[in-house]
């Protein structure tokens, strides 16, 4: 199972980091951080779709996408293009990201930042805050109910916003049981890596009013943004299309398509 392997690898890498940077040091760094930015306000529904733009070098399904030697510059382009928030992949084995990328982006932009990784431990949540993240991705399929609740509560306790990612109706029910305010529906099944661009449209009507709805994956053209917007998406998370072309022009075109 791809998701289980990715999560196990991310947890193993976090444990390796903890050997040289114990939890107490990470907690002290988190305490020194300015409070997290209000991601819910930044991503609140508006007249046109909002975009979370992703710093993404590679993926298991697509291989290498872009070198991105300067993630801070990439993030600055996203800000110029009109992104409402920025996602930074910090998983190193398959996505070639790092916490250094997150730190560099934090120093460069004042938009809310999502730490996108395979988070399964409290240590990883504390790392996110210590590095300047405002949002933390929690993937329902990767976590049992007790772990999901524990990490969700810790993200909130640290002043950040949890983005709860789902892939089917059962996972959406688990996300709603948390009373999550930010729910993503990922068109990519992280066990098989197959895409279902219509999944969001099937699940969105069951998400209550007041919950911010995020469509993830399967966005390669303006029509894909329009497709998600028509299905009820408040926000679309986009990675590949922004790192393989002109990010400013692409963002502006996508925002226009979602108006």
């Amino acid at each position: 199972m791809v998701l289980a392997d990715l999560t196990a690898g991310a947890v193993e890498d976090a444990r390796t980091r903890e050997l040289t940077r114990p939890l107490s040091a990470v907690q002290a760094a988190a305490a020194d951080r300015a409070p997290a930015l209000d991601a819910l306000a930044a991503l609140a529904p508006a007249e046109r779709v909002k975009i979370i733009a992703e710093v993404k070098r590679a993926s298991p399904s697509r291989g290498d996408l872009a070198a991105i030697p300067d993630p801070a510059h990439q993030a600055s382009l996203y800000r110029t293009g009109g992104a409402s928030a920025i996602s930074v992949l910090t998983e190193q084995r398959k996505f070639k990201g790092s916490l250094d990328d997150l730190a560099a982006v934090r120093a460069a932009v004042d938009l809310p930042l999502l730490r996108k990784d395979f988070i399964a431990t409290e240590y990883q949540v504390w790392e996110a805050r210590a590095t300047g993240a405002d949002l933390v991705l929690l993937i329902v399929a990767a976590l049992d109910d007790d772990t999901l609740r524990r990490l969700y509560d810790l993200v909130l306790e640290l002043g950040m916003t949890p983005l709860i990612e789902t892939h089917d109706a059962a996972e959406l029910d688990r996300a709603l049981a948390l009373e999550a305010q930010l729910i993503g529906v990922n068109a990519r099944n992280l066990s098989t890596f197959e895409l279902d661009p219509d999944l969001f449209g099937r699940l969105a009507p069951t998400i209550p009013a007041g919950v911010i709805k995020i469509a993830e994956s399967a966005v390669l053209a303006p029509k894909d943004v329009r497709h998600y917007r028509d299905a009820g998406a408040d926000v679309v998370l986009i990675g590949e299309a922004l790192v393989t072309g002109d990010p400013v022009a692409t963002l502006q075109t996508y925002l226009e398509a979602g108006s």
Side-chain angles (χ1 to χ4, degrees), residues 105-162:
V105 172
R106 174 75 293 159
V109 300
D110 56 1
L111 296 176
L113 300 188
L114 167 67
R115 181 187 183 186
K116 193 173 184 190
D117 208 322
F118 299 89
I119 306 292
T121 68
E122 289 90 344
Y123 184 83
Q124 292 167 290
V125 175
W126 279 101
E127 278 186 320
R129 183 80 282 270
T131 314
D134 309 290
L135 304 102
V136 174
L137 182 72
L138 298 177
I139 302 173
V140 173
L143 305 168
D144 60 49
D145 283 341
D146 288 344
T147 304
L148 179 60
R149 168 59 71 179
R150 187 171 69 253
L151 297 180
Y152 177 85
D153 288 345
L154 179 58
V155 172
L156 291 176
E157 179 185 330
L158 297 183
M160 297 183 289
T161 302

Side-chain angles (χ1 to χ4, degrees), residues 13-258:
D13 292 341
R15 287 174 177 157
T16 299
R17 291 191 297 274
E18 192 171 3
L19 294 176
T20 56
R21 194 185 189 200
L23 179 59
S24 58
V26 175
Q27 289 173 324
D32 287 340
R33 278 281 174 187
L37 300 176
D38 188 345
L40 293 178
L43 299 174
E47 291 185 0
R48 71 176 184 177
V49 76
K50 293 183 175 179
I51 290 177
I52 300 175
E54 191 158 83
V55 177
K56 181 179 185 179
R57 292 192 178 90
S59 76
S61 61
R62 301 285 293 173
D64 289 345
L65 297 172
I68 311 183
D70 187 349
H73 176 65
Q74 186 80 12
S76 296
L77 294 175
Y78 290 161
R79 179 185 54 195
T80 299
S84 294
I86 295 174
S87 169
V88 182
L89 271 154
T90 60
E91 196 277 340
Q92 63 191 55
R93 299 187 182 200
K94 297 295 185 181
F95 292 88
K96 300 186 177 180
S98 70
L99 285 166
D100 288 342
D101 290 344
L102 183 62
V105 172
R106 174 75 293 159
V109 300
D110 56 1
L111 296 176
L113 300 188
L114 167 67
R115 181 187 183 186
K116 193 173 184 190
D117 208 322
F118 299 89
I119 306 292
T121 68
E122 289 90 344
Y123 184 83
Q124 292 167 290
V125 175
W126 279 101
E127 278 186 320
R129 183 80 282 270
T131 314
D134 309 290
L135 304 102
V136 174
L137 182 72
L138 298 177
I139 302 173
V140 173
L143 305 168
D144 60 49
D145 283 341
D146 288 344
T147 304
L148 179 60
R149 168 59 71 179
R150 187 171 69 253
L151 297 180
Y152 177 85
D153 288 345
L154 179 58
V155 172
L156 291 176
E157 179 185 330
L158 297 183
M160 297 183 289
T161 302
L163 167 52
I164 309 301
E165 180 175 292
T166 65
H167 303 83
D168 59 33
E171 292 175 15
L172 179 56
D173 286 342
R174 293 175 63 198
L176 294 174
L178 296 169
E179 299 185 348
Q181 296 300 298
L182 201 61
I183 293 180
V185 176
N186 194 339
R188 188 179 299 282
N189 184 312
L190 291 181
S191 296
T192 65
F193 274 82
E194 294 177 352
L195 282 172
D196 181 358
D198 296 319
L199 177 64
F200 179 87
R202 294 196 299 275
L203 296 183
T206 66
I207 300 176
V211 176
I212 299 172
K213 299 180 287 294
I214 301 179
E216 304 175 43
S217 298
V219 178
L220 293 175
K223 66 179 178 59
D224 301 319
V225 176
R226 183 74 252 172
H227 174 71
Y228 280 141
R229 182 62 167 173
D230 288 345
D234 302 307
V235 182
V236 180
L237 191 152
I238 305 173
E240 180 178 341
L242 298 179
V243 300
T244 55
D246 179 336
V248 175
T250 301
L251 266 169
Q252 292 173 344
T253 300
Y254 284 12
L255 286 166
E256 189 173 320

